[in-house]
Amino acid sequence: KAGVTQTPRYLIKTRGQQVTLSCSPISGHRSVSWYQQTPGQGLQFLFEYFSETQRNKGNFPGRFSGRQFSNSRSEMNVSTLELGDSALYLCASSLEGNTDTQYFGPGTRLTVL
Amino acid sequence: GNSVTQMEGPVTLSEEAFLTINCTYTATGYPSLFWYVQYPGEGLQLLLKATKADDKGSNKGFEATYRKETTSFHLEKGSVQVSDSAVYFCALREGGTSYGKLTFGQGTILTVHP
């Protein structure tokens, strides 16, 4: 069974631009979560989606948004990029009813210049 | 709110040495506890987990016991290998209306020399 895939793997943007990252969960997984990883702040929860609904959200500004499609694939969008948004963005998927076992993708490395 | 505190790194050991990485947590309920490992250039992999007090999680020679009385979940391995070099994260999931949200510690870099 294929693992969690994230595209693109690397991305370079400039301040003020917007970016969309994609996450395809493991087949059959309906829950997708997103995390931001930076050297200074570590791993921080962004949001979680299940059945196309956001059911939990972390403490990030409104510039960070996401959505989930009917096939469980998820996207996150960051508008008006700032230098501090440079990070590794990780998504994780799990089966509903077993969120104790989450599978992470390799991440998208975003660099904002 | 919930929080996880790990021992500061980096930790440098010789091959076959004993490993301990300390982890303590603060949570309002009865969380599930996890250790994740991240190898260079990769995402996180679940190493082991424990879902209730006194449970012991184990995998690949690593062990951790859920200690509610000391709110701890220390990671141990009796004999480390060079291939264990990675970053280790302790995490908790409170469940309930937090659903799948994980709260992570800051990570501990482990380097094992031959």
Side-chain angles (χ1 to χ4, degrees):
Chain A
K1 188 182 273 190
V4 177
T5 58
Q6 292 188 244
T7 56
R9 290 293 310 276
Y10 301 92
L11 206 49
I12 299 175
K13 292 285 187 179
T14 56
R15 279 181 298 173
Q17 289 187 307
Q18 75 165 20
V19 67
T20 299
L21 312 181
S22 180
C23 171
S24 293
I26 291 172
S27 178
H29 287 193
R30 296 167 63 193
S31 174
V32 174
S33 297
W34 288 88
Y35 293 84
Q36 182 195 63
Q37 184 177 20
T38 60
Q41 299 298 315
L43 280 153
Q44 294 187 288
F45 173 78
L46 280 155
F47 25 64
E48 179 184 6
Y49 287 87
F50 175 75
S51 289
E52 304 177 63
T53 301
Q54 186 184 92
R55 65 180 183 183
N56 205 352
K57 188 177 189 306
N59 296 321
F60 279 81
R63 301 185 296 108
F64 292 81
S65 63
R67 59 178 175 170
Q68 186 179 34
F69 302 95
S70 58
N71 62 357
S72 295
R73 188 178 70 86
S74 178
E75 290 181 347
M76 65 163 284
N77 183 277
V78 188
S79 63
T80 320
L81 284 166
E82 300 177 359
L83 296 179
D85 297 332
S86 294
L88 180 67
Y89 290 88
L90 294 164
C91 80
S93 75
S94 64
L95 285 166
E96 175 60 2
N98 191 16
T99 45
D100 272 347
T101 303
Q102 299 192 35
Y103 298 85
F104 281 79
T108 294
R109 172 75 62 185
L110 171 65
T111 301
V112 181
L113 302 177
Chain B
N2 299 334
S3 66
V4 177
T5 302
Q6 287 180 237
M7 66 183 283
E8 300 244 350
V11 174
T12 302
L13 297 172
S14 297
E15 207 164 24
E16 299 184 4
F18 184 85
L19 168 70
T20 299
I21 301 178
N22 290 339
C23 170
T24 58
Y25 68 90
T26 301
T28 53
Y30 299 92
S32 295
L33 302 174
F34 309 87
W35 278 98
Y36 280 87
V37 59
Q38 186 174 36
Y39 298 101
E42 298 184 12
L44 301 173
Q45 297 177 26
L46 178 63
L47 182 59
L48 54 83
K49 66 180 181 183
T51 58
K52 61 183 186 297
D54 300 323
D55 267 2
K56 177 186 283 189
S58 61
N59 186 26
K60 301 180 181 178
F62 291 90
E63 293 183 338
T65 301
Y66 190 142
R67 301 287 188 198
K68 187 172 182 298
E69 65 276 12
T70 55
T71 61
S72 64
F73 192 56
H74 305 320
L75 182 68
E76 296 181 335
K77 186 176 186 182
S79 176
V80 293
Q81 306 299 312
V82 172
S83 57
D84 293 328
S85 298
V87 184
Y88 292 81
F89 293 92
C90 185
L92 69 80
R93 187 184 76 84
E94 188 169 10
T97 55
S98 293
Y99 298 102
K101 175 186 174 182
L102 294 169
T103 300
F104 288 91
Q106 64 269 42
T108 301
I109 299 172
L110 170 66
T111 303
V112 180
H113 292 297

